[in-house]
Amino acid sequence: MSAYIAPSQIAERQLAYFAGKHVLVAGESEDLFPVELAQHCESVTVFTTNYGYHRQLAPYSQISSVFGADFNQPTQADMVLLYWPKAKAEAEFLLAMLMAKLGVDTEIVVVGENRSGIKSIEKMFKPYGPITKFDSARRCSFYWGKCLEQAPDFHLEEWFKSYQVNYKQHALTIKSLPGVFSHGQFDVGSQLLLDTLPTLTGKVLDFGCGAGVIGSVMATLNPEIELEMCDISALAVASSQATLEANQLTGRVFASDVYSDTGSDYRFIISNPPFHAGLDTSYSATETLLAKAPQQQNKDGELVIVANSFLKYPPIIEQAYGNCETLNKTSKFAIYHAKK
């Protein structure tokens, strides 16, 4: 059984494409295939918007890993290996960024699961040049193409989508990059969470901040709090920073892989926690978030989260805090609260 995800397995079948190339890996990559790839080509740089993946690659000196929302480093890359992302808008965003950066004659390999909509690359790459499917296996496709047209300049600020959120007589502007949760809308779970929150004081962490909706509303309604917001995604961090700025709010926004970069003296941890990783459902980050929350808090620490009602989070919260109450519930969502 290969340790690689299926898109990496199909790339591994086609190593000849990468020989002699300086490869830039981008998109929904999540395994150590780039480390093996470095043995078959001139150099490998990984550009990732996922802070957890960036940390996973850190020990491997044979590749260079770049974390951020915008790839603006000097590079000698002449080939892109794009792992097709789950959001089509994110694929467009990455293509526009990387083709603008690398320019004409850049080769591209695109790999991804068929159910993720990878076939869209055929139309999406047309403005840059030809692209053709050369292999399919393990329900995945392998495309090779070449950029023949000069791509327009890329400016990150042009990719933010803005929308209004109205909450308790406050109109807030939300700024969101492609692929970020809550991209272009106010989700029902977040609204229920905000409707249920107690009055906040002290240092407050908005965990998994996405586009910054929850954090911005909390800061607007509780201007005295010391707000911190974190997310594993560089696109979310950039979106939340832009959202705070758009509303003249202050807060510290940073990337964190669960609690890797957070403080340990929070009065409140508030979250609409993520439970999707790629195309599959993943609960491990949220379970760690809940189990270790008390260790990140001061003696009066409180946790308030919204979750799909079917998720079995109360026993984890109960074990961590010794208590867990349901503050609010709809047919779809529940608000859980615990105190140290």
Side-chain angles (χ1 to χ4, degrees):
M1 182 74 184
S2 172
Y4 296 147
I5 57 173
S8 292
Q9 292 176 39
I10 199 172
E12 191 180 28
R13 285 162 49 119
Q14 302 292 348
L15 287 170
Y17 280 89
F18 303 101
K21 296 292 175 189
H22 295 278
V23 181
L24 176 63
V25 179
E28 204 92 6
S29 173
E30 53 190 71
D31 60 22
L32 295 177
F33 176 66
V35 179
E36 181 192 333
L37 187 60
Q39 300 167 26
H40 302 276
C41 60
E42 290 301 306
S43 71
V44 173
T45 301
V46 177
F47 168 63
T48 180
T49 59
N50 184 306
Y51 189 57
Y53 188 52
H54 177 61
R55 291 177 75 230
Q56 187 187 339
L57 295 177
Y60 298 93
S61 56
Q62 58 270 58
I63 60 172
S64 101
S65 177
V66 176
F67 169 75
D70 191 357
F71 184 73
N72 46 25
Q73 285 73 4
T75 180
Q76 51 185 156
D78 51 15
M79 176 181 255
V80 172
L81 169 56
L82 178 66
Y83 284 75
W84 188 256
K86 60 181 178 285
K88 187 174 165 185
E90 193 176 336
E92 288 177 307
F93 168 81
L94 288 170
L95 277 180
M97 178 197 300
L98 299 177
M99 293 304 112
K101 174 78 178 171
L102 303 184
V104 172
D105 292 332
T106 302
E107 293 180 47
I108 185 166
V109 165
V110 185
V111 291
E113 295 187 35
N114 297 333
R115 66 182 175 139
S116 69
I118 186 175
K119 197 174 188 321
S120 302
I121 190 63
E122 295 171 12
K123 191 173 176 187
M124 200 183 286
F125 198 72
K126 271 211 168 90
Y128 305 107
I131 195 160
T132 309
K133 182 170 164 178
F134 279 98
D135 194 9
S136 58
R138 297 177 182 81
R139 301 197 183 99
C140 289
S141 296
F142 176 103
Y143 284 85
W144 178 89
K146 192 167 189 176
C147 179
L148 301 179
E149 302 293 331
Q150 184 57 53
D153 288 346
F154 178 85
H155 303 287
L156 186 69
E157 59 275 11
E158 292 172 4
W159 287 81
F160 284 99
K161 184 172 180 179
S162 289
Y163 62 101
Q164 292 293 125
V165 161
N166 296 304
Y167 189 78
K168 291 191 176 172
Q169 286 80 56
H170 296 281
L172 292 169
T173 302
I174 309 301
K175 308 275 276 189
S176 172
L177 287 170
V180 175
F181 178 70
S182 199
H183 185 46
Q185 62 195 7
F186 191 11
D187 78 288
V188 182
S190 295
Q191 184 142 5
L192 186 69
L193 176 63
L194 291 167
D195 288 345
T196 312
L197 280 181
T199 303
L200 302 174
T201 56
K203 193 168 170 182
V204 178
L205 177 66
D206 172 10
F207 182 95
C209 56
V213 178
I214 292 170
S216 297
V217 172
M218 291 193 305
T220 302
L221 298 180
N222 309 270
E224 301 302 306
I225 62 172
E226 187 186 339
L227 177 66
E228 293 200 356
M229 303 164 72
C230 70
D231 203 288
I232 201 166
S233 160
L235 302 176
V237 170
S239 298
S240 281
Q241 281 168 332
T243 295
L244 288 180
E245 282 166 28
N247 298 288
Q248 288 84 54
L249 296 167
T250 53
R252 185 169 93 85
V253 191
F254 58 97
S256 190
D257 181 6
V258 192
Y259 293 119
S260 67
D261 289 58
T262 64
S264 57
D265 56 346
Y266 298 105
R267 172 75 176 81
F268 284 93
I269 293 177
I270 311 292
S271 186
N272 181 350
F275 66 98
H276 287 287
L279 288 167
D280 300 306
T281 302
S282 170
Y283 305 106
S284 60
T286 302
E287 288 172 3
T288 306
L289 155 75
L290 302 176
K292 298 196 170 163
Q295 297 160 37
Q296 313 304 132
Q297 295 186 302
N298 65 22
K299 62 179 175 35
D300 301 315
E302 295 183 46
L303 171 81
V304 188
I305 69 156
V306 58
N308 283 64
S309 307
F310 66 84
L311 297 173
K312 303 288 184 277
Y313 290 157
I316 304 170
I317 299 170
E318 184 91 41
Q319 183 158 13
Y321 283 89
N323 63 87
C324 174
E325 60 173 332
T326 304
L327 294 183
N328 206 340
K329 200 165 182 163
T330 65
S331 57
K332 195 169 178 202
F333 295 103
I335 309 294
Y336 301 120
H337 173 243
K339 282 183 178 176
K340 268 178 93 163

